Amino acid sequence: MFTGPQIVELISELGITHVVWVPDSTLGQWEEALTAAPNIELVRVCREGETWAVAAGLHLGGARPLVIIQCTGLFESGDALRNAVHDYKLPLFAIVGYRSYLNQSTLPGDTCLVFTEPILDAWRLDYRLIDAPEKFSQIGEHYIACREAGKPGVALIAEGKA
Amino acid sequence: MTLSLVESLQVLSEVRDDAVVVTAMGASREWMAIGSHPLDFNFVPSSMGQAPGLGLGIALARPDRKVIVCNGDGSTLMNLGAFVTLTAAAAENLTLLIFDNGVYEVTGAQLTPASTASGPDGRCVDLAAVARAAGFQSLYEFDDIDKWREQARTVIDQPGPTCAVLKVAPIPGAVGPKSPGPAPERARAFAAALRD
């Protein structure tokens, strides 16, 4: 739905200094643009739970991190995100890819559609569903609103395939 | 031969200068007993296995600061991929110390899987070898307190990422670390100390 250059332009404007990620096939298409961005450092981690810990350390150190993972990685992240955003109350922000939301041709009956939004609610993460190109501006608006409120947040980006 | 966890940490306290020190689990318990420093981040409560990632984030945000992470072997096993995350990020200011006692000490000293696994030569899992295979170029092992005392400063001053595995003895009856205060307030105080 969105290109790497679009995302890089947006997060550069937001002052993001580091992207901590585990890519999927949709978000991963942003890699070239993220790698080329002069003011953004891409931190590649091995498992999604790590994204929250690394982002927590970056935040404590005065940087402005952004987590990028798929919803399956959100499921994996549970304890790490609980610790960072609830125990320590760190206002971390994530872009989460919503697998199969637009198209289930690859994975018919994908249970990501069943669990993603209830999991975000369970972890008390304020999220915005971005399910159409015209909602692009809501990513930045939600990020700014969360930052000003000092709370964590998620932009949930609808994806079409696994 | 093994080291004493308490003595090992006392040596660290003598050489850390103004480094950030992130501790988890048993290391947190004993580190807090030794003293306090504004640049200590006692990761209590923690998400087990995530201390190296937390330390990496601090190291990347503040490349002007030395960051030392004190982790246990149980925590290491819970997130072995962190070895690769750390070497991939290549933060020169990051040192990972693994205090390997072979057990989950804070829950009653149950054996870790690594302590029960045996290779062809009958040895348990060698965490230093795993770290080496994961890409740590700067790697140390210690099972003697005098050698640790002699080389601790070198380990910390070495351009990293550095990993040192210290074979320590379990402490009988040891319990989990107690939170030294409200976590959000401690996080804010730590961040403020880092800014100064």
Side-chain angles (χ1 to χ4, degrees):
Chain A
M1 190 162 20
F2 307 118
T3 67
Q6 266 182 298
I7 293 296
V8 164
E9 183 180 1
L10 171 67
I11 65 178
S12 296
E13 286 172 5
L14 295 173
I16 298 294
T17 58
H18 296 74
V19 168
V20 192
W21 86 339
V22 178
D24 69 4
S25 56
T26 299
L27 309 173
Q29 293 175 27
W30 304 344
E31 183 180 37
E32 185 179 346
L34 287 167
T35 306
N39 299 320
I40 297 169
E41 186 171 347
L42 184 62
V43 184
R44 305 166 196 273
V45 306
C46 294
R47 199 159 169 84
E48 290 87 347
E50 284 185 278
T51 60
W52 301 93
V54 174
L58 284 161
H59 178 85
L60 291 170
R64 197 171 277 181
L66 173 68
V67 167
I68 298 183
I69 54 177
Q70 194 188 55
C71 58
T72 52
L74 173 74
F75 305 155
E76 193 282 324
S77 293
D79 187 58
L81 87 82
R82 176 202 58 76
N83 178 246
V85 308
H86 293 300
D87 285 347
Y88 291 95
K89 300 204 182 307
L90 303 180
L92 305 179
F93 196 90
I95 287 179
V96 175
Y98 199 167
R99 193 176 81 180
S100 301
Y101 185 87
L102 299 173
N103 179 335
Q104 294 186 55
S105 61
T106 307
L107 296 173
D110 189 352
T111 55
C112 285
L113 300 177
V114 177
F115 294 108
T116 298
E117 292 182 74
I119 289 287
L120 286 167
D121 288 333
W123 289 121
R124 300 176 188 173
L125 291 170
D126 185 4
Y127 70 94
R128 293 291 177 276
L129 175 59
I130 311 297
D131 59 355
E134 54 270 26
K135 291 186 178 178
F136 180 73
S137 63
Q138 290 185 22
I139 302 171
E141 290 161 8
H142 186 45
Y143 174 86
I144 291 168
C146 288
R147 189 168 74 197
E148 289 177 353
K151 67 177 187 180
V154 167
L156 184 60
I157 309 283
E159 296 180 346
K161 60 176 182 177
Chain B
M1 204 153 60
T2 56
L3 296 81
S4 145
L5 172 62
V6 175
E7 276 187 288
S8 305
L9 290 170
Q10 281 169 339
V11 170
L12 177 63
S13 74
E14 290 160 16
V15 300
R16 61 87 61 95
D17 297 328
D18 282 331
V20 170
V21 177
V22 177
T23 58
M25 298 292 178
S28 276
R29 181 192 62 230
E30 303 304 337
W31 188 250
M32 288 188 282
I34 289 171
S36 66
H37 187 290
L39 294 178
D40 286 345
F41 192 86
N42 297 302
F43 194 24
V44 184
S46 71
S47 175
M48 192 172 174
Q50 301 298 351
L54 184 83
L56 172 63
I58 297 167
L60 292 173
R62 292 299 304 267
D64 57 318
R65 286 275 184 196
K66 188 75 198 175
V67 178
I68 302 163
V69 176
C70 299
N71 211 22
D73 54 321
S75 295
T76 298
L77 291 168
M78 194 163 279
N79 189 11
L80 274 178
F83 278 148
V84 179
T85 296
L86 265 54
T87 57
E92 290 193 357
N93 56 331
L94 184 63
T95 300
L96 173 63
L97 303 181
I98 299 171
F99 296 90
D100 181 2
N101 61 12
V103 298
Y104 296 114
E105 185 177 85
V106 305
T107 57
Q110 302 88 357
L111 292 175
T112 68
S115 295
T116 54
S118 295
D121 59 356
R123 294 182 60 206
C124 293
V125 173
D126 181 345
L127 288 177
V130 177
R132 183 178 294 109
F136 277 96
Q137 304 290 318
S138 179
L139 184 66
Y140 298 83
E141 288 181 85
F142 297 98
D143 61 4
D144 179 276
I145 190 68
D146 292 329
K147 287 182 181 162
W148 167 236
R149 185 172 285 115
E150 185 183 303
Q151 293 190 50
R153 189 172 290 282
T154 302
V155 170
I156 289 162
D157 289 345
Q158 193 79 223
T162 296
C163 178
V165 178
L166 293 87
K167 294 283 187 184
V168 298
I171 300 174
V175 296
K178 184 180 175 189
S179 171
E185 290 173 23
R186 287 188 291 115
R188 282 194 291 274
F190 174 77
L194 259 183
R195 279 195 301 273
D196 292 341

